[in-house]
Amino acid sequence: MRRPLRFLGSWWPWRCWAYLASGAVVGYPVLVVLVLLVGFGVVLSVVGIGLGLLLAAVAGAVPLGRLERRRLRWVDPHPVADPHTSLAGAGPAARLRTRLRERSTWREFGYAALLGPVFGAAGFGVITLLAFSAILIATPVTVWAIAPDTVMLIPGRAVADPVEGLAGTAVGLVGLVVTAYAGALLAGAQVKTARLLLGPREEDGRVLELTRSRVRLVDAFEAERRRIERDLHDGAQQQLVALSMTLGLAELELRKVPGAAGAAGLVSRGRGEAKLALEQLRDLVRGIHPQVLTDHGLAAAVAEVALRHPVPVTVDLPVPRLPEPVETTAYFTVTEALANAAKHSGASHVGVAGRVESGRLTLTITDDGRGGADPGAGAGLAGLADRVAMLQGRLMVSSPAGGPTELRVEVPCSG
C-alpha cells in the first residue's frame, strides 16, 4: 500500500472485506465440526469408534485446504500450489493412508483449527466495524427518514436534525477508512499464514528434486542398457556368426581329407556350440530391450512375449505410445510377472490388462495359480518395486494361499 489514497479508491478494500467475511462464514462451521469430531473422538476412543472420528477430522482438512487455496485468489493474484502428491486411480483406503502420512495434511489440520477462533473472529470484528461505520455514515438520512422520532448517537443526547447528523457521517467515514486498512492488514496476515500452512514447503521441493534425480538415474540406466545391447548386437553377435560360418567351411574342407573324419566331427560339434551361444546371445539381447518395444510400443511387445510364453496368456492393453521409461518399466514388470507365473505358480492361465486414465498407466497381471507369492522373499519383485518407485509409481501384490495372484502397477505417464 505505497499509495494509500489509490488503495481506498480501488476494489481491494472490498475484496479484503469479502475475503474476511467469507472466512467467518466458513470458519465458524469448521470450528463447530472440529470440536464435535475431536471431542466425541476422544470420548469414544475407548470403544474404538472415536478413532474413526479423529481420522475424519484430520482427513477433512484436505478438502478445506483446497477450498482455502481457491479463496485466496480473491486477495492474492499468485495461486498457491497443491502440496499433495497425485493419487489418481488409488482406492479410498490407499488415499487415506497416503494423506495421513503427508506433513501437508497435518499443516492443513492446523490451519483448520486456526480458521474459526482466529481468522473467523477477526473477520467478524472487521465486518461488524464496517457495518457500524456504514450506519454512522447514513445518520443524516436516518434522522430525516424517521422524523419526528429521534436518533441518539450518544446515549441521552438526541440528534436534532440531519445537519447535526453530519458529525456521525464524519465519524463513520473515519471508521470506514480504518476498516479498509484493518481489513487489508488482517487479510494479508491470513494470506501469509495460508501460504505457510497450505502451500508446498522447502522439503517438498527437495522431494521433487529427489524425484527428478531418480528419473535422471533411470534415464542413465536405460542409456547404458541400450549401449550394452548395441555392443552385443554389433560386436559379439556378429563375431559368433562369422565364427559359425568359418567352422562350417572348415568342416566342409576336412570332410574332403581322407582320415580326417574325427577332426571334422569335432569342428561340427564346435559349430553347434557356436550356434547355441548365438541363440542364447540373441535371447539376451532381446531381453535387454526388445526392438519391438522401441518400434511398436508396450502392447505389441507384451503380445510378442505372450506368444512365446509356455502358459496361455490373454492380453488386453489398449494403450497409446508412452514415454520410454514408462514403457520399459511396464514391459519388464510384465515379463517378470509372467516368468514367475511359469516357474512357481503352477497357473493354467495368465491375464494381462492395462489402461491409461487420468495420466496414469495401470497394469494388472493375474494368474490362477497356487498363490503365496512373497515380494520380500526374493529380489525379483522387490527390484521391480524399486524401479516403479523411481517413477513415483506403486507396485502392489495380492497373493493369498491357494491363489489367485494379482500384481498391480500404477505409474504416472509424465515420463
Side-chain angles (χ1 to χ4, degrees):
M1 291 187 294
R2 295 179 179 178
R3 299 181 178 180
L5 295 180
R6 178 173 293 184
F7 168 75
L8 291 175
S10 68
W11 285 101
W12 282 107
W14 296 93
R15 297 174 70 153
C16 293
W17 293 334
Y19 178 69
L20 293 171
S22 62
V25 172
V26 174
Y28 286 119
V30 168
L31 177 61
V32 172
V33 171
L34 281 181
V35 169
L36 291 176
L37 288 177
V38 174
F40 281 108
V42 172
V43 172
L44 298 177
S45 59
V46 293
V47 294
I49 304 175
L51 180 60
L53 296 178
L54 294 174
L55 291 178
V58 176
V62 176
L64 175 65
R66 190 179 304 117
L67 172 63
E68 288 298 297
R69 282 189 291 271
R70 289 180 178 272
R71 223 167 48 83
L72 276 177
R73 298 177 185 176
W74 293 9
V75 290
D76 192 349
H78 305 291
V80 178
D82 189 343
H84 297 288
T85 56
S86 175
L87 294 178
R95 284 176 176 272
L96 181 60
R97 285 195 304 269
T98 304
R99 291 295 181 248
L100 291 177
R101 292 171 182 170
E102 292 177 331
R103 294 181 180 179
S104 53
T105 299
W106 294 93
R107 295 198 299 266
E108 288 170 334
F109 179 72
Y111 181 87
L114 292 174
L115 185 59
V118 178
F119 299 120
F124 181 78
V126 169
I127 299 306
T128 301
L129 181 58
L130 176 63
F132 184 65
S133 299
I135 292 173
L136 288 176
I137 291 173
T139 300
V141 177
T142 305
V143 171
W144 172 80
I146 68 172
D149 294 333
T150 59
V151 174
M152 288 187 294
L153 298 179
I154 300 176
R157 183 177 177 182
V159 179
D161 52 44
V163 175
E164 188 176 344
L166 291 176
T169 301
V171 175
L173 289 174
V174 173
L176 189 65
V177 172
V178 172
T179 305
Y181 287 117
L185 290 175
L186 289 174
Q190 187 170 351
V191 167
K192 289 185 178 180
T193 305
R195 282 191 168 275
L196 179 66
L197 297 179
L198 303 182
R201 288 281 189 92
E202 183 181 353
E203 59 264 25
D204 299 326
R206 288 199 293 268
V207 170
L208 178 61
E209 181 57 33
L210 177 60
T211 300
R212 291 172 177 170
S213 299
R214 287 177 173 177
V215 173
R216 288 194 294 268
L217 180 62
V218 171
D219 293 339
F221 177 68
E222 287 303 319
E224 184 64 17
R225 281 165 52 101
R226 300 298 294 273
R227 185 190 65 78
I228 295 173
E229 173 197 5
R230 184 174 59 254
D231 292 345
L232 289 175
H233 183 273
D234 298 337
Q237 188 170 333
Q238 299 301 324
Q239 291 175 0
L240 281 175
V241 171
L243 175 61
S244 180
M245 295 178 62
T246 301
L247 289 175
L249 293 174
E251 180 184 358
L252 291 176
E253 294 298 328
L254 285 174
R255 293 192 182 280
K256 296 178 182 179
V257 179
L266 290 175
V267 172
S268 177
R269 181 178 176 182
R271 184 186 178 193
E273 294 292 337
K275 287 184 177 180
L276 180 61
L278 180 60
E279 291 177 0
Q280 292 177 346
L281 183 59
R282 283 173 176 168
D283 291 338
L284 177 61
V285 171
R286 187 183 297 111
I288 290 177
H289 193 97
Q291 190 63 34
V292 66
L293 181 62
T294 302
D295 295 341
H296 302 288
L298 178 63
V302 172
E304 183 183 74
V305 173
L307 290 175
R308 302 196 310 266
H309 199 261
V311 178
V313 179
T314 301
V315 179
D316 181 20
L317 272 177
V319 297
R321 291 306 303 264
L322 303 171
E324 184 176 357
V326 176
E327 286 192 334
T328 303
T329 298
Y331 173 79
F332 284 105
T333 300
V334 172
T335 55
E336 178 71 21
L338 292 179
N340 289 339
K343 293 178 182 177
H344 309 297
S345 72
S348 60
H349 181 267
V350 182
V352 180
R355 295 291 187 276
V356 175
E357 296 177 350
S358 302
R360 294 177 70 89
L361 170 66
T362 302
L363 278 176
T364 305
I365 303 98
T366 308
D367 68 64
D368 59 357
R370 63 178 67 95
D374 183 8
L381 289 177
L384 286 178
D386 292 340
R387 185 184 183 113
V388 170
M390 286 185 178
L391 298 180
Q392 286 190 293
R394 299 187 304 161
L395 183 144
M396 295 160 283
V397 179
S398 172
S399 184
T405 296
E406 179 180 287
L407 188 147
R408 180 182 176 90
V409 178
E410 297 176 1
V411 183
C413 295
S414 58

